[in-house]
């Protein structure tokens, strides 16, 4: 059994005029897995995150059937503090994440650890390590509300990662970030995966989704409509039909394939393409 299991989950927000936000969701996420959720605006991605974190049904009221379990335990039977120890949650809007009670970025990162009762020495060690990993040195003395949107987003993510929960639910962490900062954030998230942390990510930057995910889940109209490896989902015609922008290397792969070059036409990264072209070139020579 996975670390997150969702069985026949259907949820309608109270007073919703658009119908259910989640319909017949079944999902089993393994410990250490990196799962990305993609889909158009309003598809239900944030709602699914909220269900995993227990915000649905604890905070967002409505009609719910089915269940979500974390480590086998239904979220409805766990208190918020219990859930918060297991699942770190990074909100879609970083402003929402800020505690609003600290005056420096450094304290913002330390805040959650203080609440957990982490001893001062260890707290300092963990915050320093996170400042380093997230490249936040130039910002540590700044006021959290006097940062740019992108800087806030990096701080919001770091303030969760520093807590070290075994499951991370991260809703669009790079929406306000430039390409360099986006790459940095993905490196940071990959680093968490390397430590065995389970990651559920909502993201619109498909090159990154393709590169880092073990599994991709495509949502449309409150349902999961496709799921599989990045190669499976991005080569599924439904993905493009639903308006998802495919990773650029896939177009190159298709064009090369059409021209008879030794690629599968399904490659999602440049590295994969180069590898296949090189292997093909070597095999080609041997064949002659
Ligand atoms: N608090 C709420 N009350 C009523 N309906 C809601 C609420 N939150 C979301 N919804 C509805 O649920 C559906 C799914 O919304 P959700 O926020 O999960 O989409 P999303 O895939 O995260 O979209 P986006 O890419 O824009 O963030 C939408 O139809 C939305 O209007
Ligand atoms: Mg959303």
């Amino acid at each position: 059994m996975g670390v997150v299991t969702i069985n026949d989950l259907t949820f309608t927000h109270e007073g919703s005029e658009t119908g259910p936000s989640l319909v017949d969701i079944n999902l089993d996420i393994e410990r250490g897995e990196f799962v990305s959720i993609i889909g158009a605006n309003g598809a239900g991605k944030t709602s699914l995150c909220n269900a995993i974190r227990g915000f649905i049904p604890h905070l967002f009221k409505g009609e719910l059937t089915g269940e979500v379990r974390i480590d086998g335990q239904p979220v409805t039977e766990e208190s918020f503090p219990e859930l918060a120890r297991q699942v770190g949650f990074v909100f879609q809007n970083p402003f929402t994440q800020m505690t609003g009670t600290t005056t420096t970025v450094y304290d913002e990162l330390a805040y959650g650890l203080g609440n957990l009762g982490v001893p001062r020495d260890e707290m300092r060690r963990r915050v320093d390590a996170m400042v380093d990993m997230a490249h936040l040195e130039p910002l540590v003395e700044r006021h959290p509300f006097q940062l740019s949107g992108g800087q806030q987003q990096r701080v919001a993510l770091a303030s969760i990662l520093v807590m070290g929960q075994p499951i991370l639910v991260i809703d669009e962490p790079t929406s306000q970030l430039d390409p360099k900062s986006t790459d940095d954030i993905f490196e940071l998230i990959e680093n968490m995966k390397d430590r065995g942390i389970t990651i559920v990510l909502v993201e619109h930057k498909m090159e990154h989704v393709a590169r880092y995910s073990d599994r991709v889940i495509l949502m449309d109209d409150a349902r999961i409509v496709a799921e599989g490896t990045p190669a499976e989902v991005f080569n599924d015609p439904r993905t493009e039909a639903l308006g998802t922008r495919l990773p650029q290397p896939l177009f190159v792969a298709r064009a090369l394939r059409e021209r008879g070059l030794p690629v599968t036409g399904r490659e999602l990264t440049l590295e994969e393409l180069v590898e296949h072209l090189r292997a093909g070139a070597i095999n080609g020579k041997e064949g002659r």
Side-chain angles (χ1 to χ4, degrees):
M1 191 187 52
V3 64
V4 177
T5 47
I6 304 181
N7 294 314
D8 298 327
L9 183 74
T10 294
F11 179 77
T12 309
H13 281 96
E14 202 168 71
S16 164
E17 284 165 16
T18 49
S21 302
L22 296 170
V23 174
D24 292 338
I25 303 290
N26 284 287
L27 190 57
D28 198 6
I29 300 175
E30 294 299 319
R31 190 172 297 284
E33 200 178 0
F34 190 139
V35 176
S36 293
I37 305 169
I38 63 171
N41 292 140
K45 304 179 298 295
T46 296
S47 298
L48 183 53
C49 291
N50 284 337
I52 294 172
R53 172 65 175 81
F55 287 159
I56 289 174
H58 286 292
L59 272 184
F60 294 100
K61 297 300 170 197
E63 200 184 308
L64 178 136
T65 55
E67 66 172 6
V68 178
R69 286 170 183 259
I70 304 291
D71 263 339
Q73 180 86 358
V75 295
T76 46
E77 291 171 20
E78 286 192 83
S79 71
F80 242 19
E82 278 171 339
L83 274 166
R85 268 195 290 277
Q86 290 169 291
V87 187
F89 190 94
V90 183
F91 288 87
Q92 183 162 0
N93 176 357
F95 194 74
T96 324
Q97 190 94 44
M98 298 291 165
T99 59
T101 58
T102 61
T103 53
T104 67
V105 164
Y106 195 93
D107 288 346
E108 184 74 18
L109 296 190
Y111 184 86
L113 294 173
N115 278 349
L116 284 183
V118 172
R120 193 157 279 278
D121 280 359
E122 187 190 336
M123 187 197 286
R124 205 166 286 146
R125 196 174 48 72
R126 280 166 70 172
V127 172
D128 286 346
M130 185 49 63
V131 165
D132 193 38
M133 271 171 70
H135 309 304
L136 293 174
E137 292 89 350
L139 301 181
V140 284
E141 293 303 327
R142 300 274 300 275
H143 194 292
F145 287 166
Q146 289 167 356
L147 301 174
S148 76
Q151 289 167 338
Q152 265 188 3
Q153 203 160 25
R154 281 163 51 208
V155 171
L157 178 66
S159 71
I160 298 306
L161 298 188
V162 75
M163 307 275 285
Q165 291 107 326
I167 303 167
L168 286 173
V169 177
I170 313 175
D171 197 355
E172 296 199 37
T174 69
S175 56
Q176 307 188 41
L177 300 185
D178 58 38
K180 167 75 171 75
S181 299
T182 299
D183 288 346
D184 287 348
I185 291 292
F186 270 88
E187 260 176 43
L188 199 56
I189 297 173
E190 194 184 34
N191 203 310
M192 297 295 138
K193 179 184 158 65
D194 291 343
R195 297 173 182 204
I197 289 175
T198 307
I199 293 156
V200 178
L201 172 77
V202 176
E203 181 57 65
H204 287 290
K205 290 175 182 153
M206 297 306 163
E207 276 83 14
H208 291 83
V209 169
R211 179 180 297 270
Y212 291 99
S213 313
D214 296 317
R215 182 157 44 135
V216 178
I217 288 172
L218 171 67
M219 290 190 74
D220 177 50
D221 199 12
R223 295 165 193 271
I224 293 177
V225 291
E227 91 177 271
T229 62
E232 283 164 353
V233 172
F234 287 119
N235 285 291
D236 185 322
R238 284 173 298 183
T239 305
E240 200 170 3
L242 287 172
T244 307
R245 199 185 49 79
L246 301 179
Q248 285 293 335
L250 183 55
F251 295 107
V252 179
R254 288 175 180 174
L256 292 176
R257 172 95 185 158
E258 263 171 33
R259 287 161 181 75
L261 282 136
V263 297
T264 63
R266 291 164 60 88
E267 291 85 350
L268 299 176
T269 64
L270 280 180
E271 287 79 358
E272 228 181 328
L273 269 175
V274 168
E275 197 182 304
H276 290 178
L277 285 168
R278 283 211 173 112
I282 292 164
N283 291 341
K285 263 183 204 149
E286 279 172 354
R288 257 180 253 142

